[in-house]
Amino acid sequence: MSAANSTPTVPGDDRLAELKAKSRETFFSKLPIVKQLKIAVGWQKGMLITGLVLCAFFLLVAIFAPLIAPYGFSQIKDASGKAFDTQAAPSAEHIWGTTVGGFDVFSRTVWGARTAVIAIIIAVLCSIFIGVILGLVSGYFGGWIDRVLVVIADAIYSFPSLLLAILMAIMISGGQSSLWGGILASGLSITVVYIPQYFRTIRAEVVRMKESAFIESARVIGAPTWRILTKHLLKNSTRTLPVILTLNSSEAILTLAGLGFLGFGIEPTAAAEWGYDLNRSVSDVTAGIWWTAVFPGVAIVLIVLGITLVGESLNDLADPRLRARKSAGEVIGSIEDTSVDPSTQKSAAEVVLPGEQTSDAKASKGEES
């Protein structure tokens, strides 16, 4: 190889030879949660991992509920036909005890996870689908369409979600819902109330980007409006949707539990629901029977906590100012490490602040005087 083609190097510096080309990112590494895990540090990463573990736990419980639960959600008799004891304390047969209706608390809690996950999926999918489409149309076209949609979104957002859920439950099934009736009531109420959040988020991003150079270039080359909306604007305006999605999911859980607690939720023979179990255990708590209320209540708290931790972590990671917090010492160290010649770096004892003099300088100054 000729000297002209050789790579110039600094004598004694092997850093250039150790450089390696970065491998191409895989599809898995580009997924939202995986990407956030790679850039998260400190408390942010701890919160995100904790939230993901809790969410994954309840998701697995919901999927494998028939295998985990020893009894059905409405079963009150064993295989021999003997009825379960009511309000029985935790034992080998019923590890979390039984309710006043004779239901197994552990089985009802496990089956309730499936009901909660189904309610989240329905509410989130409907809200995203409708809100994103309306936001794209309103932000891109503007004019009277934008004004009408903004007024409707503001009006809908003023309705309390729980009150709207109660009205939906009464309209759908007269207040006593089947499995899909109760889930549909909570899902529709959450969908209607949280559509404005997705609408506002997407609309604001579209209004900001529709006059950008790449959008103008797409118009010049004759790209159809639908392609501009879906390929360019939609792809670049969904950065903050995961944060809103987590808030929507936790609200869906609380709304479904609130419906059940108030008596407008799912019937116990149709599906297991934590809010209904809490409603039936209110009188048990005053009598010292704690197990009928503790376990469904802890399940609600943990699943909402897991979703909230994921949402808070994603919110911090979406803001570049909150991604990594370094102390002053770490910042100074990183600046010192950029020195070209390590021999020129000074230790902390050798650094002289403005207005100060070293002992050698003071001594030489005294000899001159």
Side-chain angles (χ1 to χ4, degrees):
M1 182 180 295
S2 61
N5 296 330
S6 62
T7 304
T9 57
V10 179
D13 190 355
D14 299 330
R15 290 177 296 176
L16 188 60
E18 296 175 357
L19 290 177
K20 295 181 180 179
K22 185 179 180 181
S23 60
R24 187 176 180 180
E25 293 184 353
T26 61
F27 174 78
F28 180 75
S29 63
K30 294 180 181 179
L31 295 176
I33 300 299
V34 178
K35 186 177 181 180
Q36 266 72 29
L37 277 173
K38 293 173 64 177
I39 65 177
V41 294
W43 282 101
Q44 294 168 352
K45 191 167 187 177
M47 290 170 55
L48 183 57
I49 292 176
T50 303
L52 290 175
V53 168
L54 289 174
C55 293
F57 170 76
F58 280 98
L59 182 60
L60 292 176
V61 170
I63 294 174
F64 299 104
L67 302 177
I68 299 175
Y71 307 104
F73 56 82
S74 60
Q75 185 175 349
I76 56 176
K77 296 180 180 180
D78 57 16
S80 62
K82 179 182 177 182
F84 296 151
D85 295 332
T86 59
Q87 297 178 325
S91 61
E93 185 178 1
H94 304 283
I95 58 175
W96 287 358
T98 59
T99 66
V100 65
F103 300 117
D104 182 67
V105 176
F106 177 74
S107 300
R108 292 279 300 179
T109 305
V110 170
W111 282 102
R114 171 171 291 188
T115 305
V117 170
I118 294 175
I120 290 176
I121 293 175
I122 292 178
V124 167
L125 290 181
C126 293
S127 300
I128 289 180
F129 182 76
I130 300 175
V132 168
I133 291 180
L134 293 179
L136 286 173
V137 173
S138 178
Y140 184 75
F141 292 102
W144 66 270
I145 297 178
D146 182 43
R147 290 193 294 269
V148 171
L149 290 177
V150 168
V151 170
I152 294 175
D154 292 340
I156 294 176
Y157 196 70
S158 63
F159 282 91
S161 60
L162 185 57
L163 177 59
L164 186 58
I166 293 174
L167 295 177
M168 287 286 183
I170 295 175
M171 292 173 59
I172 292 174
S173 57
Q176 288 295 322
S177 302
S178 60
L179 170 62
W180 291 108
I183 291 177
L184 189 62
S186 62
L188 287 178
S189 63
I190 294 299
T191 297
V192 173
V193 171
Y194 279 84
I195 282 175
Q197 287 199 4
Y198 296 101
F199 169 79
R200 289 176 175 180
T201 302
I202 299 298
R203 176 186 173 274
E205 292 292 329
V206 171
V207 169
R208 181 180 63 85
M209 291 188 300
K210 70 178 182 179
E211 302 299 336
S212 301
F214 69 98
I215 300 297
E216 292 293 338
S217 301
R219 293 196 190 102
V220 169
I221 64 176
T225 302
W226 179 251
R227 180 177 178 83
I228 295 175
L229 289 175
T230 56
K231 183 67 176 179
H232 302 290
L233 291 175
L234 177 61
K235 188 176 181 180
N236 293 281
S237 61
T238 57
R239 295 176 302 168
T240 58
L241 285 188
V243 179
I244 306 177
L245 186 146
T246 55
L247 297 176
N248 193 352
S249 301
S250 59
E251 185 67 20
I253 294 294
L254 296 177
T255 302
L256 182 64
L259 282 174
F261 187 80
L262 295 176
F264 296 98
I266 304 172
E267 294 180 356
T269 56
E273 200 277 308
W274 296 327
Y276 173 85
D277 294 339
L278 287 177
N279 174 273
R280 300 294 293 172
S281 64
V282 171
S283 58
D284 296 343
V285 175
T286 58
I289 302 174
W290 53 269
W291 52 87
T292 57
V294 167
F295 298 110
V298 170
I300 295 175
V301 171
L302 288 180
I303 190 171
V304 173
L305 177 63
I307 297 173
T308 303
L309 288 177
V310 173
E312 289 294 331
S313 302
L314 294 179
N315 185 35
D316 287 352
L317 295 173
D319 189 347
R321 298 170 300 178
L322 301 177
R323 286 180 185 173
R325 300 182 178 91
K326 292 186 176 181
S327 63
E330 292 174 334
V331 173
I332 293 175
S334 62
I335 294 174
E336 290 175 351
D337 291 340
T338 60
S339 176
V340 177
D341 187 1
S343 63
T344 61
Q345 295 182 2
K346 296 183 179 182
S347 62
E350 296 175 343
V351 175
V352 181
L353 299 176
E356 294 185 0
Q357 295 180 339
T358 60
S359 57
D360 294 340
K362 292 180 180 179
S364 61
K365 186 176 181 180
E367 291 177 357
E368 293 178 357
S369 60

